[in-house]
Amino acid sequence: MPTPQSTIAAPPLVMIDVRSRSGRRRGERRTVSPIAFDTLDDRALAEQFSAGDERALREAYARWSPLVFRLALRSLGDRTDAEDVTQQVYLAAWRGRATFDASRSTLSAWIVGITKHRIADAHEARSRARRLEESLVAEASVAATTGADDDFAERAMVAEELDRLEPVPRRVMRLAFYDQLSHSQIAEATGLPIGTVKSHVRRSLQRLRSRWEVDDGPHRA
């Protein structure tokens, strides 16, 4: 029988381009029989999932995404981040379905295992973003209080990188770095949901870090 739904609703499944990006793997059969997937037991559903039937992906999402979302939300404390993790878990599960071994684990336990790894990845991404944010704020503060040539160059570099962002994330980042507003203050100033503000900051920091690593790569010891 399907697992009871949680009172905490998971985000709707964003179909993950299963045709164009993963497709059916060699040896997988395309199931065309009129199976009522919501009546399958977990073992039968796992067989259809491993075989590459997209309807099994949808049913697996319906059964266990509330649990995945709840675990992510409890650990991360942010609904937007938990929604991102939930989508990432099912994307990883679908793409890696050939590695699922029904003799070693149930499909639900396998998905929970992926969830734990994705939650750990999200925490690590937060740590990297926080370290970068602290570094950028420090550089912006120094650049704003001195007229030295080197500091002017640093200020110009930060401004140039921020100017490459799209208008909305650029405004969010300027409020964060130059005005040093908190996420909630930025949300109030821009009218954006706080989850959206956090997402803009996180993704912008990741882009900035990637660009700086590329630029600095040849000069590193």
Side-chain angles (χ1 to χ4, degrees):
M1 294 297 293
T3 302
Q5 297 293 311
S6 166
T7 55
I8 301 178
L13 174 61
V14 176
M15 284 311 293
I16 43 188
D17 237 357
V18 290
R19 294 181 182 84
S20 61
R21 300 188 66 172
S22 62
R24 293 195 304 280
R25 302 181 187 276
R26 181 173 297 179
E28 289 181 347
R29 65 184 183 277
R30 181 178 178 83
T31 304
V32 294
S33 57
I35 299 175
F37 278 76
D38 59 347
T39 65
L40 294 178
D41 61 27
D42 290 352
R43 181 179 295 274
L45 179 63
E47 291 176 356
Q48 296 299 322
F49 186 94
S50 295
D53 194 311
E54 296 166 21
R55 294 171 295 175
L57 169 62
R58 292 186 176 90
E59 179 59 28
Y61 193 89
R63 292 189 190 188
W64 299 304
S65 65
L67 172 60
V68 171
F69 178 74
R70 187 167 64 250
L71 291 172
L73 183 61
R74 182 182 302 165
S75 180
L76 298 170
D78 181 90
R79 185 179 183 87
T80 299
D81 290 345
E83 290 175 349
D84 288 344
V85 164
T86 303
Q87 297 292 338
Q88 291 169 14
V89 165
Y90 277 87
L91 172 60
W94 182 249
R95 289 179 174 172
R97 61 192 179 277
T99 65
F100 170 66
D101 186 350
S103 67
R104 300 181 60 183
S105 174
T106 63
L107 182 58
S108 59
W110 184 66
I111 288 174
V112 168
I114 296 174
T115 301
K116 293 178 180 178
H117 286 296
R118 292 297 173 174
I119 290 173
D121 289 344
H123 279 297
E124 177 58 26
R126 279 184 175 182
S127 296
R128 291 196 303 267
R130 184 165 53 251
R131 290 194 295 270
L132 179 59
E133 181 176 359
E134 291 170 353
S135 174
L136 288 174
V137 169
E139 290 177 5
S141 298
V142 169
T145 58
T146 180
D149 291 342
D150 288 345
D151 294 322
F152 177 80
E154 289 181 359
R155 183 168 68 251
M157 180 178 64
V158 172
E160 180 181 0
E161 293 298 337
L162 293 183
D163 285 342
R164 293 182 182 181
L165 300 174
E166 295 296 323
V168 173
R170 184 193 310 139
R171 184 186 180 197
V172 168
M173 296 294 278
R174 287 185 179 279
L175 290 173
F177 292 145
Y178 295 121
D179 295 345
Q180 298 188 24
L181 299 186
S182 66
H183 290 154
S184 60
Q185 290 172 327
I186 295 172
E188 183 177 355
T190 60
L192 295 171
I194 190 168
T196 302
V197 170
K198 291 180 179 179
S199 294
H200 279 312
V201 171
R202 183 180 67 251
R203 291 166 184 165
S204 297
L205 287 171
Q206 289 171 347
R207 292 191 187 100
L208 290 172
R209 179 173 60 84
S210 297
R211 286 172 183 156
W212 283 9
E213 286 178 348
V214 169
D215 291 342
D216 292 344
H219 305 291
R220 291 179 180 173

